[in-house]
Amino acid sequence: MIPAVLPTYNRAPLEFVKGEGSWLIEKDGRRFLDLGAGIAVNALGHAHPALVTALTEQANAVWHVSNLYRIPQQEALAQKLVDTSFADTVFFTNSGTEACELAVKMARKHFSETPPERTEIIAFEGAFHGRSSAGIAAAGSEKMTKGFGPLLPGFKHLPWGDIDAVRAAIDTRTAAIMIEPIQGEGGIRPLPEADLKALRSLADEAGILLIFDEVQCGMGRTGRLFAHEWAGIAPDIMMVAKGIGGGFPLGAVLATERAAEQMTAGTHGSTYGGNPLACAVGCAVMDHVADPSFLDGVCRKAGLLRQKLEGLVAQHPDVFEEVRGTGLMLGLKCRVPNTDVVKAAYDALLITVPAADNVVRLLPPLTITDDEIAEAVSRLETAAGHVEPAPQT
Ligand SMILES: *Cc1c(COP(=O)(O)O)cnc(C)c1O
C-alpha cells in the first residue's frame, strides 16, 4: 500500500526533534553533528536566535498579505541583495526550482521583442536546477526526465565545463547560458575561474544572457556572498534559494535592469513569493551572511576543514580519493560507495549528504565552530574505519 507520504524519497530512519546550532537531536536523544545543514539551507545553523526573533516578531505582526500590496520586508531584502550584488532588481520565489522557472522565462522574454527571437538555453550535463518542468528539462538527465515527457523544449546540453563546445553551440537561436558555478548535486564540481570568465566573454560577444544557478553555492557558502565573485565576473540573471531563508522556504531571481526590462506588470507572479514571514527571516540571514567579517570567518574555517580533510584522505586512501570544492561546500570523492560512507557517518553521529559522481558532500552551517570542525573530522575518521575498504588494485 502506498504510504500517506508520496514515496519519492529514500529516507534515512532518523527523526530529528530539535536543532541547536550545528547539532540535530534525534528522537532517542542522540546528538548528531550536522554537516548537511538540510542540503546547504541552514546557513546560520539551527535555531539561530536572530532568525527565531525575526520569525516570531513577524509572526506576531502579519504573516501574509499577497503581492497585491507593498511588502516592506520584501523591499528591504531586495535592497540588501541589490546593494551587495551585481543585480538591479529581485523577484522572490519559494524555492530554487521556481527561481529556475523565472530565469528561463526572463531570458526568453528578454529576446521576445527584438528579432531574431532567441529562445534556446545552453545547459550542462550533471546540472541540477530543481524538479519543475523547466528544471528537469534544463538538467536533461535521464534520471530526472524519464517518463515525464514531452519535456519543455529549447535546452541544449553540453559536457560539463566544455567551453569550446559552448562556443560552437551558440547560434542565432541562443538566448542564454545557464550554469552552476559549482555543481552541487552533480558532485561538488567547481568550474575553474578562467572558464567562468570565458563564459562571460562568450555571452558578451554573442549578445546573449549568462544565468548562474547559485541556489546551492551562493549565500556565503564559498566564503564570498556569491560564488561567482571569486572569478571577478557577474551574470545577467542569478537563481538563489537554499541558504537565503536559513530554513524558511525562500528563493530569488536577481537580475540586471537590462536582462529584466521586459518583465513588466502582469508578466510573472507568485502568491506566496516574498511574503512578510519569509522576507523578515531573509533580512536577518542577509544581515549576518553579507557581513564581510562573517565571510572572512567562513574562509578561515573552510581552510581549517579542508586541511583536516586532506589529512583524512591521506590516512584512508582506500576509502577516499580526493577533497574538492570551495569554502564550506566540500566533497569527498570516494573509492567505496558514497552511501556506505554516509551510513557509517550516521553511525558515528555525523550527518553528510551524498551527491552524484560518488561524492559525499560536506555542507556545514556557516556558523560551525573550530571545535565542531575538529569533532566532525574525528567522526569522519571513525566512519572511514568502519566502511568496507575498496579492493586493492
Ligand atoms: C537545490 C537546488 C535547486 C532546486 O531548489 P529547490 O528549492 O529544491 O527547488 C536548484 N539548483 C541548485 C543548484 C540546487 O542545488
Side-chain angles (χ1 to χ4, degrees):
M1 204 175 68
I2 194 164
V5 174
L6 189 73
T8 60
Y9 277 93
N10 271 320
R11 294 167 195 270
L14 294 168
E15 240 184 279
F16 299 112
V17 293
K18 194 170 169 48
E20 294 167 357
S22 305
W23 299 84
L24 276 174
I25 294 116
E26 220 271 346
K27 201 171 63 171
D28 64 10
R30 286 180 300 161
R31 293 175 62 87
F32 285 75
L33 186 47
D34 185 8
L35 263 61
I39 321 183
V41 166
N42 303 100
L44 298 184
H46 299 279
H48 190 287
L51 301 197
V52 173
T53 302
L55 184 69
T56 50
E57 280 184 358
Q58 189 58 48
N60 282 308
V62 61
W63 292 20
H64 179 82
V65 296
S66 94
N67 285 304
L68 298 174
Y69 313 102
R70 287 185 63 174
I71 300 174
Q73 298 78 11
Q74 185 183 125
E75 291 174 19
L77 180 54
Q79 193 61 53
K80 286 177 199 291
L81 289 163
V82 165
D83 288 346
T84 50
S85 77
F86 72 95
D88 302 312
T89 190
V90 183
F91 184 93
F92 292 103
T93 66
N94 310 290
S95 68
T97 205
E98 286 169 77
C100 176
E101 292 288 324
L102 174 55
V104 170
K105 284 178 70 177
M106 189 183 283
R108 290 185 172 168
K109 191 79 172 163
H110 176 79
F111 290 107
S112 64
E113 303 294 327
T114 43
E117 200 178 6
R118 295 172 176 269
T119 56
E120 212 166 72
I121 294 176
I122 291 174
F124 295 88
E125 287 163 9
F128 185 79
H129 302 295
R131 299 299 194 125
S132 65
S133 289
I136 62 172
S141 71
E142 174 163 324
K143 185 178 160 225
M144 274 182 278
T145 58
K146 196 172 172 219
F148 295 115
L151 297 178
L152 183 67
F155 292 93
K156 205 182 254 182
H157 298 99
L158 304 181
W160 168 243
D162 187 338
I163 304 301
D164 290 334
V166 176
R167 190 177 293 111
I170 294 174
D171 61 26
T172 53
R173 284 160 303 167
T174 312
I177 302 166
M178 179 186 280
I179 193 163
E180 297 153 86
I182 305 173
Q183 280 191 347
E185 307 297 314
I188 310 290
R189 297 198 290 175
L191 195 71
E193 285 176 25
D195 290 349
L196 284 172
K197 288 195 178 102
L199 289 180
R200 179 70 270 173
S201 306
L202 286 175
D204 288 343
E205 284 159 26
I208 61 174
L209 300 171
L210 184 59
I211 304 171
F212 284 161
D213 181 346
E214 293 225 16
V215 168
Q216 194 160 148
C217 62
M219 292 308 295
R221 178 77 20 212
T222 66
R224 292 282 182 96
L225 186 54
F226 296 109
H228 67 261
E229 293 172 26
W230 289 108
I233 48 102
D236 304 291
I237 299 173
M238 180 168 70
M239 296 131 70
V240 176
K242 294 203 164 96
I244 193 175
F248 199 94
L250 178 63
V253 173
L254 280 65
T256 62
E257 182 165 14
R258 187 179 71 90
E261 68 195 352
Q262 301 296 333
M263 300 303 296
T264 52
T267 56
H268 195 63
S270 168
T271 297
Y272 284 131
N275 93 353
L277 273 184
C279 290
V281 176
C283 282
V285 170
M286 272 297 281
D287 288 343
H288 285 79
V289 171
D291 180 338
S293 64
F294 181 91
L295 292 169
D296 286 348
V298 172
C299 289
R300 191 190 57 74
K301 287 184 277 192
L304 182 67
L305 176 56
R306 181 157 200 131
Q307 186 191 8
K308 288 182 185 292
L309 291 175
E310 299 284 2
L312 173 80
V313 170
Q315 271 172 15
H316 297 274
D318 46 355
V319 177
F320 302 114
E321 195 176 314
E322 62 162 352
V323 189
R324 60 202 203 192
T326 309
L328 289 175
M329 183 171 182
L330 296 172
L332 289 166
K333 167 92 172 158
C334 299
R335 290 193 198 278
V336 298
N338 58 349
T339 47
D340 288 3
V341 176
V342 170
K343 283 203 187 85
Y346 287 145
D347 292 337
L349 305 185
L350 179 75
I351 298 168
T352 61
V353 186
D357 203 25
N358 207 32
V359 163
V360 171
R361 264 180 291 180
L362 308 175
L363 306 160
L366 307 181
T367 48
I368 192 169
T369 66
D370 292 8
D371 286 349
E372 287 165 347
I373 286 173
E375 181 60 31
V377 177
S378 137
R379 291 182 185 200
L380 271 172
E381 266 159 21
T382 306
H386 283 89
V387 292
E388 187 79 34
Q392 294 293 320
T393 46

